[in-house]
């Protein structure tokens, strides 16, 4: 089982960025949490973070060709703007889970729209970084 974990703009700034919303855990700590989880489950997990929409599209397309079984994606601000990421997920038809660290349902109006949700089997919001490991387990159960 091979899973790709994708993070969009600003997720590399975890721990620094608005800790009252996103917590104090760093991006490196998130990577370590995911690595340990993958090891415990005996699966291969690759993580990629980018501040650039096209790089995220490229990564989704690559996943189709390299035998990836599922995608966990926190598109960050691109959640609320990106038809390109929606199209990319719909093109590859890999099972995907949308993750948000914060509870976007309780935030600004512009965060209530998710362009990607239509292409995701599940959305996990507001569970902090545990949302990523929950998303991986969901993909394992599929
Ligand atoms: C986020 C929520 C988005 O609205 C925001 O733009 C982010 C992070 C989250 O993980 O809670 O960058 O995706």
């Amino acid at each position: 089982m091979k899973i790709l974990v994708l993070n969009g703009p600003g997720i590399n700034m975890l721990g620094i960025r608005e800790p009252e919303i996103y917590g104090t855990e760093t991006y490196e700590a998130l990577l370590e949490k995911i690595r340990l989880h993958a090891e415990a489950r005996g699966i291969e997990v690759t993580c990629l973070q980018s501040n650039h929409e096209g790089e995220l599209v490229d990564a989704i397309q690559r996943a189709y060709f390299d035998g990836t079984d599922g995608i966990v994606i926190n598109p960050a601000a691109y959640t609320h703007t990106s038809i390109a990421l929606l199209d990319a997920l719909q093109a590859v038809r890999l099972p995907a889970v949308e993750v948000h660290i914060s509870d976007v349902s309780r935030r600004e109006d512009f965060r209530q729209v998710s362009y990607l949700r239509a292409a995701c089997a599940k959305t996990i919001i507001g569970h902090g970084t545990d949302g990523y490991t929950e998303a991986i387990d969901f993909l394992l159960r599929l």
Side-chain angles (χ1 to χ4, degrees), residues 7-11 14 17-18 21-22 73-80 98-104 107-108 110-113 124-126 128 132:
N7 277 297
I11 303 300
L14 282 183
R17 173 189 187 194
E18 297 176 280
I21 296 175
Y22 299 110
I73 183 164
N74 182 349
Y78 289 138
T79 308
H80 319 298
E98 176 189 8
V99 171
H100 297 286
I101 296 164
S102 67
D103 184 354
V104 280
R107 298 182 63 194
E108 300 94 326
F110 60 82
R111 294 186 207 273
Q112 304 312 311
V113 173
I124 298 173
I125 59 166
Y132 292 87

Side-chain angles (χ1 to χ4, degrees), residues 2 4 6 48 52-71 73 82-96 116:
K2 192 168 157 176
L4 173 66
L6 279 180
L48 185 140
H52 305 277
E53 189 175 22
E55 268 185 32
L56 297 166
V57 171
D58 288 345
I60 292 168
Q61 291 180 356
R62 261 197 320 272
Y64 178 81
F65 294 105
D66 73 7
T68 294
D69 299 295
I71 297 175
I73 183 164
S82 182
I83 298 167
L85 288 175
L86 168 67
D87 284 349
L89 288 176
Q90 284 180 335
V92 300
R93 294 219 166 118
L94 290 170
L116 283 81

Side-chain angles (χ1 to χ4, degrees), residues 11-26:
I11 303 300
N12 56 319
M13 297 292 281
L14 282 183
I16 299 167
R17 173 189 187 194
E18 297 176 280
E20 63 288 358
I21 296 175
Y22 299 110
T24 53
E25 198 179 332
T26 62

